[in-house]
Amino acid sequence: MTDATTGTGLPIAAARRGAGGSGPVLGVLFLLAGWELAGRLLTEAFVLAAPSEVALYLVRDWQLMLRALGVTLGNAATGFVIGNVAAVALAGIALLWPRSERVITGLGLLVFCLPLVATGPILRVFFGPGPGPQIALAALAVYYTTLIPLLVGLRAAPDSWFDLVRSYGRGPVSALVHVRAMAALPYLFTGLQIAAPAAFLGAMVGEFTGAERGMGVLTVRAIRALDVEMTWGLATVATAVAILAYVGIGALARRVLLEAPPVILAAPAVATGRRLGGWIDTGLVILLALGGWAGAIWAFGLNPFFAKGPGDVFDALVVAPDAAATRATIGAALTESAVYLIPGYIAGLLAGAALAILLILVPAVASTAMPLAIALRSVPIVTTAPLIVLLLGRGAVGTIFLVAVMVFFPSFVACLQGLRQAPGQVMAVFDSYAAGPFTRLVRVRIPAMLPAFFAAARMAVPASVLALTVAEWLATGSGIGSLMALSASLSDYDMLWSSVVLVSALSALGYVLVGAVERRVLAIYAPEQLA
Amino acid sequence: MAHDVTPPPEVVCTSLAKTFAGGTEAVRPIDLTFAAGQTTALVGPSGCGKSTLLRMVAGLEAPSAGRIEIGGAPPRATLRRAGLSVAFQDPSLLPWRSVRGNIELALKLARRRAGPSEIDQLIDLVGLDGFAETRPAELSGGMRQRAAIARALATRPGLLLLDEPFGAVDELTRRQLAQDLPRIWEARGTTTILVTHSVSEAVLLADRVIVLSPRPAEIVADIAVDLPRPRPEDAARTEAASALIDRVFAELSKGMAASNPPLAAQ
């Protein structure tokens, strides 16, 4: 779930409260007990290993696991650094040249929406053997989640602080050093905190694509061999690493920062096309994306057999004699995927919001569930996707459930944070009329929750596509994820590149559409977010 | 003292006007000279354009028409020499720096030096002794404003601009500051422009009170305050001060009436 960034930061105050209480410990114990019970009941089904069996496996094969973990961690760390440096550099360009911000975020979104399932094999052909694809995918998984909070953070200082700097005759450099950089730090940490587990996930997905060593390689091997203990052992280690990375960066943030990293609900900066400038920016993004794509193929002198440019994709989809067949195949696969994606996405969002609302009415339970949910949000669910599908079957239920789970945690965490942000003074007014909890919920808390809900919904679009395509690739063998994997293995690169283009474009479109709905809602319920 | 005081400049505004991009006219063309080393108070109703006028003098807002000269040069030159300081209505303290850290940052930005003892003296002067290492979030609104005043004084500016500096300060501290602060800027001979709502504060602190009309700001009256200095705490209760206060009130009301005729007259 690492990539399902809602952009919402960890509430340090909540984590501090949670750290002192026994709530999270109880929650984890409860979870383990349920898992153990289910594992024992399902021993014959070969889908679920109980925690005790996983622990035994990890003790027995710790050397293998440690070696693989070392490799994956190394790749993830390299990708983490590269991706975040790129994010900082892009944010710097956007700051120096504000006109470029919408184009940078637009291009960033398009690249972020590339389906890792397909970019993995393409990068594998490009880089050949070695850690290249793993590092590249780790970098791709993190740069956007750092870029967006950073852009918000660099503008998060009030005008009067800049007036102060100017009143002493100092320019933009002093403002950057003394005001912007410091004001952006909490936002940077928010991004890094989400990026750390995402980098690990990216490296693992990169390893799925034919690496020699690493956790991803072992995962694929374990799934193919139906080695249930090993599969769950790997998922457990991946989860532990992701949670530790999340908590570790959170702890570092607490040491460095004075207060909690902010909850970032930045409205999408991507052009929604309402104004002429928006249309021009959108056109520019598309032109730059196509130019960069063709330019990269030309600059690296890539073999035209596998490296298909925009012209090739246009040919394959429109001009070629079999264009209609290609379109029909991709269309059918996309439809097949959409049937799982859309219900899963909506169910996950609504379930997250509903549970958050339910919990806010029972505050004692909320304080237990919150830290647990924040930790679970960083679980690399994609690596456990095959397991969930194994558990629930290859049919609709398993896949829809997987997508829903992917969307559920970010939605739940964001909504709970949003519900808690209900303005105290407004609540006091309702208290003064002795309004009941339900009235306060409907009139104050839910409207206050909406910005967080929509931020989660927007960021969940690419995340849910990732979850679905990985599940289709590794487990169900249907839909667009499977088509892309199949095309890669059959060297049908026209089909592969065409699918990549359509999936990315549709993901980005989904993101922009949710963003447009979000802006409409925020204009009513939280106009300050759009300022 | 560790550094020189910037010589107090004369500030000359010629046909100075401001209309915002949306068409809101904030300041009508104004000719105004702030004498070197004098304290001038700008008094007017809320939203009349006082702060806009001050921001233009500070070089933070570009005039739509007219020009400003500070010591014969445009504001930008004064800014570059760090010859002016502003205490903003919003204290604008950086939250990650202590009171001392905020003052030190101002010195750094102004490329000035001041010893720790000088900073301590200023912190004491504004009544924040014991809070030098405290961060703004732990201070009350009034304490933050006092820290901002200390910061503005620390760079020993030749021109000091105060925008409602006592807005959030409690009445008792306000009186004390009204006693202590003029001593500093008088001793240094600073040219001071004070924007305030409070008529008695204007009379007590200033050598001259400019009364402005409701927006767009125009000069309604220019009143010299010839009360002897130093002015003790009860100076506002003397007959001369009361007369001045009454006069400023009368001019303010006149300005209000001219722009908002009473209902009966409409």
Side-chain angles (χ1 to χ4, degrees), chain A residues 122-462:
Chain A
I122 290 172
L123 289 169
R124 173 62 61 203
V125 179
F126 175 62
F127 282 107
Q134 294 88 299
I135 293 172
L137 287 192
L140 283 177
V142 303
Y143 82 94
Y144 192 70
T145 57
T146 302
L147 173 67
I148 295 299
L150 202 53
L151 282 175
V152 176
L154 285 169
R155 305 204 192 296
D159 287 344
S160 59
W161 295 359
F162 297 110
D163 282 347
L164 178 77
V165 174
R166 284 169 60 208
S167 75
Y168 289 110
R170 292 304 193 96
V173 176
S174 291
L176 178 66
V177 172
H178 295 296
V179 177
R180 283 194 205 276
M182 292 300 292
L185 257 192
Y187 293 81
L188 178 65
F189 271 109
T190 302
L192 293 182
Q193 201 173 26
I194 291 161
F200 191 75
L201 171 75
M204 271 187 84
V205 173
E207 287 166 357
F208 289 171
T209 64
E212 294 89 33
R213 285 193 301 258
M215 303 268 296
V217 177
L218 291 186
T219 303
V220 172
R221 200 187 296 166
I223 291 169
R224 300 238 159 101
L226 279 179
D227 186 336
V228 177
E229 285 163 19
M230 186 177 177
T231 314
W232 282 94
L234 285 159
T236 307
V237 172
T239 301
V241 168
I243 291 178
L244 281 178
Y246 186 89
V247 172
I249 299 222
L252 186 68
R254 278 199 293 281
R255 284 191 73 90
V256 174
L257 303 176
L258 296 174
E259 50 193 76
V263 174
I264 296 171
L265 304 169
V270 180
T272 46
R274 204 176 292 168
R275 292 178 302 113
L276 182 65
W279 286 110
I280 292 174
D281 285 339
T282 310
L284 208 57
V285 167
I286 294 171
L287 269 181
L288 282 173
L290 294 177
W293 173 12
I297 290 177
W298 175 79
F300 290 107
L302 299 181
N303 184 345
F305 172 67
F306 96 89
K308 303 293 180 190
D312 300 318
V313 168
F314 183 75
D315 272 351
L317 285 175
V318 181
V319 183
D322 60 350
T326 307
R327 284 201 306 270
T329 309
I330 296 177
L334 282 174
T335 313
E336 214 169 37
S337 295
V339 168
Y340 297 140
L341 184 75
I342 295 168
Y345 173 81
I346 294 173
L349 275 182
L350 293 183
L355 188 64
I357 289 169
L358 208 64
L359 283 186
I360 206 76
L361 295 174
V362 194
V365 185
S367 65
T368 301
M370 187 67 170
L372 197 64
I374 287 175
L376 285 176
R377 188 178 60 165
S378 60
V379 173
I381 196 114
V382 164
T383 59
T384 60
L387 300 171
I388 292 183
V389 175
L390 274 179
L391 208 59
L392 296 172
R394 286 169 190 262
V397 177
T399 316
I400 290 175
F401 183 79
L402 175 76
V403 174
V405 169
M406 186 82 177
V407 176
F408 168 80
F409 282 104
S411 162
F412 170 65
V413 173
C415 288
L416 205 50
Q417 285 171 345
L419 286 166
R420 285 183 167 177
Q421 278 181 347
Q425 285 175 341
V426 179
M427 295 292 269
V429 170
F430 276 72
D431 284 345
S432 71
Y433 291 116
F438 184 74
T439 310
R440 290 193 303 179
L441 182 73
V442 173
R443 304 276 178 196
V444 189
R445 285 195 190 274
I446 290 182
M449 179 196 86
L450 287 176
F453 175 78
F454 277 98
R458 177 164 42 85
M459 294 303 282
V461 172

Side-chain angles (χ1 to χ4, degrees), chain A residues 85-123:
Chain A
V85 168
V88 172
L90 286 173
I93 294 172
L95 190 67
L96 286 175
W97 187 31
R99 181 71 189 77
S100 70
E101 180 172 333
R102 285 156 73 96
V103 174
I104 286 177
T105 51
L107 276 176
L109 174 65
L110 264 187
V111 177
F112 186 61
C113 285
L114 287 174
L116 297 188
V117 173
T119 35
I122 290 172
L123 289 169

Side-chain angles (χ1 to χ4, degrees), chain A residues 160-161 163-164 166-170 174 178-179 182-183 258, chain B residues 55 60 79 85 90 92 94-96 105 108-109 111 135 151:
Chain A
S160 59
W161 295 359
D163 282 347
L164 178 77
R166 284 169 60 208
S167 75
Y168 289 110
R170 292 304 193 96
S174 291
H178 295 296
V179 177
M182 292 300 292
L258 296 174
Chain B
R55 286 176 63 81
L60 297 172
L79 290 182
S85 270
D90 160 8
S92 309
L94 300 184
W96 50 84
L105 176 67
K108 195 172 174 178
L109 290 171
R111 299 189 179 88
R135 292 215 170 87
R151 177 179 62 188

